[in-house]
Amino acid sequence: MKLVMLPKTNQSGYYEIRLESIGGLGANLCQKMLGEFGVRYLGLNSASFSSYGSEKTGTPVKGYVRYSEAQKDIRVHSPVIEPHLLCIFHEM
């Protein structure tokens, strides 16, 4: 496995991604896949989770992913406020 250097980090040393969507468009699955991809194939530490209400099509969904270098633990588990990358699945 090739270790990857993060292109940018915030003051805590994390690269952060936020996904904005509505239910049924795949944002929840995408954040899970991004989190696992970072660990399995990029050699990074990763924390990923979603925030959503009732599980039905059309309700708001937010997904969050944090990456850190392999030697740095992720100790923040709050929603991403200032992401390096914002993914919008639906403009509404």
Side-chain angles (χ1 to χ4, degrees):
M1 172 180 8
K2 181 180 178 184
L3 296 180
V4 173
M5 299 285 292
L6 294 170
K8 286 182 158 186
T9 58
N10 60 15
Q11 65 275 14
S12 300
Y14 307 133
Y15 182 85
E16 298 181 321
I17 302 170
R18 186 169 77 206
L19 298 91
E20 296 279 346
S21 183
I22 56 174
L25 297 181
N28 188 29
L29 177 60
C30 184
Q31 65 84 19
K32 289 178 184 179
M33 290 171 56
L34 284 172
E36 189 168 334
F37 181 80
V39 172
R40 285 186 178 232
Y41 300 106
L42 302 179
L44 300 170
N45 283 333
S46 172
S48 63
F49 61 97
S50 292
S51 171
Y52 50 87
S54 61
E55 294 186 42
K56 62 181 181 180
T57 302
T59 59
V61 175
K62 294 182 182 196
Y64 308 101
V65 181
R66 276 193 183 87
Y67 293 134
S68 71
E69 304 290 342
Q71 68 277 7
K72 180 172 178 53
D73 291 336
I74 297 177
R75 300 202 181 271
V76 175
H77 302 286
S78 60
V80 173
I81 304 299
E82 296 180 11
H84 294 95
L85 178 63
L86 175 61
C87 304
I88 300 174
F89 284 65
H90 194 278
E91 63 186 30
M92 301 306 282

